[in-house]
Amino acid sequence: MIAAMEEKLVTLAILTYSKAQILKNVLENEGIDACIQNVNLIQPVISSGVRVRIKEHDLPRALKIIESSAWLAEDIVSEENEKDKKKTPKILIPVDFSSYSLKACEFGFNFAEHIHAEIVLFHVYFTPIYIPNIQYVTEEYNTLNPQPVIKGVGEDIHKKLLNLSKAVDKKIADGEYPNVRYTCVLREGIPEEEILHYAKKERPVIIIMGTRGESQKELDLIGSVTAEVIDRSPTFVYAIPENAVSKTFDEIKRVGMITNFDQRDLIAFDSLITTFKDYKFEISLLHLNTDEQKRTWNEIKLAGIKEYFKKQYPELKLDYHIIDENHLLTNLEKFLTEKQIDVLCVTNYKRNIFARLFNPSIARKMLFHSRIPLLVIK
């Protein structure tokens, strides 16, 4: 009976199959025996609700391991902690372990300190396994065991996530980052879809991203994760180009905001000022002129908008400029450089999917042709 009690198993976590494999591997590397139950034997890769079970006497040590891996701890959180989390504003930083991730972290941690927010470092991975119920898959697939592949992917992800966490902890200890609470969240799936799903559910104050990922050695305008998030995000997106000069919000002195004289631009402007009310910066209203005959009329409109904003925000410094759309990117980049614009602000209205694909927005164009960070407002 004593032996039976010693061998009693308890459920440590209920996860997806691939995530359960990662946890099992982490535990076994620490000398804790673990087993997985409730696996769909026909299609193990897509199993959900998989239980990771361990011996009862290993539970305290296993919980310590989970606490050290913040992305696992999110699945085992008390209702009380969940309520506390909802009270704290969040800043979402998608990471892919590239150097651009640390650049986004540097900006995000400094901003989080000012608005008393919590950082969420968010990584999405894709398990390279085909689902074996597709008619084109050959019979040989059924003889393959996906577990070694998933285990290998899991080991690599866990190692990278731990290294990123250690790098962040060191920067906090060295005073490079402020001491802001942060958590790591791990998701399996398509990066842009998982980022957007999380943003719609949790409603972070802002999403902060680099413009190029670890696997994007060349420009990929339509396929970029950042560009897709910009198009569809329900909240602010701050996109930091590869070659942007690292600045904190305190160091931002001039903001350029593109307007098309749409009422939604007025709403976006108010959202910008309200959200970042603690920061003092000058704003240049920019209009991209497509018709030379309307240039004078457009200047009158810009002057009118400026006066309207001056009445609403009397302490705000405002000016306005017209930029010809011929050679748009060159003209805009020249203007941003000459006027020392620190951030380009754009609104991004919902557009038809075909318009998004064949007529990319100014935000997408600027994303890959500028060293100026983009602040995108929905």
Side-chain angles (χ1 to χ4, degrees), residues 182-352:
Y182 76 94
T183 57
C184 299
V185 174
L186 185 65
R187 289 285 186 269
E188 180 184 13
I190 300 171
E192 56 267 38
E193 297 299 332
E194 293 300 324
I195 292 168
L196 290 165
H197 176 75
Y198 185 90
K200 289 174 183 176
K201 181 181 177 182
E202 299 293 337
R203 292 287 173 171
V205 175
I206 192 171
I207 301 173
I208 300 174
M209 303 181 69
T211 60
R212 298 178 73 184
E214 189 175 36
S215 60
Q216 291 178 265
K217 301 303 182 184
E218 298 179 358
L219 300 184
D220 183 8
L221 190 62
I222 299 301
S224 164
V225 173
T226 306
E228 193 64 26
V229 171
I230 277 177
D231 267 344
R232 297 164 53 196
S233 172
T235 186
F236 287 95
V237 178
Y238 191 76
I240 306 175
E242 175 185 1
N243 298 317
V245 177
S246 295
K247 287 190 175 184
T248 65
F249 252 114
D250 284 330
E251 297 172 315
I252 294 174
K253 304 302 180 184
R254 290 187 62 86
V255 172
M257 182 171 181
I258 295 177
T259 177
N260 197 34
F261 312 125
D262 192 290
Q263 186 175 359
R264 289 171 292 190
D265 291 340
L266 305 183
I267 298 171
F269 188 94
D270 183 69
S271 177
L272 172 69
I273 300 302
T274 302
T275 304
F276 304 103
K277 60 181 181 296
D278 294 333
Y279 297 93
K280 306 299 180 184
F281 43 72
E282 300 176 16
I283 296 181
S284 294
L285 297 173
L286 311 176
H287 177 67
L288 310 180
N289 186 54
T290 57
D291 189 341
E292 190 61 32
Q293 294 180 353
K294 294 182 179 180
R295 185 182 183 91
T296 302
W297 178 235
N298 288 335
E299 287 188 10
I300 294 173
K301 286 182 179 179
L302 278 172
I305 292 176
K306 175 189 173 183
E307 290 306 312
Y308 170 80
F309 285 145
K310 286 295 291 182
K311 290 179 181 178
Q312 298 295 321
Y313 313 100
E315 297 181 359
L316 191 63
K317 291 185 178 180
L318 276 169
D319 56 31
Y320 61 88
H321 304 270
I322 287 182
I323 297 174
D324 292 322
E325 198 164 83
N326 293 330
H327 309 292
L328 170 63
L329 296 176
T330 301
N331 291 340
L332 185 56
E333 187 72 27
K334 181 180 178 182
F335 172 84
L336 297 176
T337 302
E338 289 178 352
K339 297 297 181 179
Q340 297 182 323
I341 300 296
D342 298 309
V343 175
L344 181 64
C345 187
V346 296
T347 54
N348 210 12
Y349 312 136
K350 290 183 177 179
R351 295 175 294 129
N352 180 278

Side-chain angles (χ1 to χ4, degrees), residues 30-91:
E30 297 294 329
I32 297 176
D33 292 332
C35 65
I36 295 177
Q37 293 183 346
N38 294 359
V39 179
N40 182 337
L41 296 178
I42 298 175
Q43 295 178 328
V45 177
I46 61 172
S47 294
S48 60
V50 173
R51 294 176 181 270
V52 179
R53 308 200 74 192
I54 61 173
K55 295 175 183 177
E56 190 173 26
H57 69 268
D58 286 329
L59 185 59
R61 197 153 60 96
L63 290 175
K64 287 184 179 180
I65 293 171
I66 285 176
E67 288 173 2
S68 68
S69 299
W71 62 269
L72 289 170
E74 63 155 349
D75 291 284
I76 310 170
V77 64
S78 68
E79 292 183 5
E80 184 178 348
N81 287 338
E82 192 65 32
K83 290 178 183 178
D84 291 340
K85 282 168 59 180
K86 291 179 181 178
K87 295 178 183 177
T88 306
K90 293 182 174 65
I91 293 175

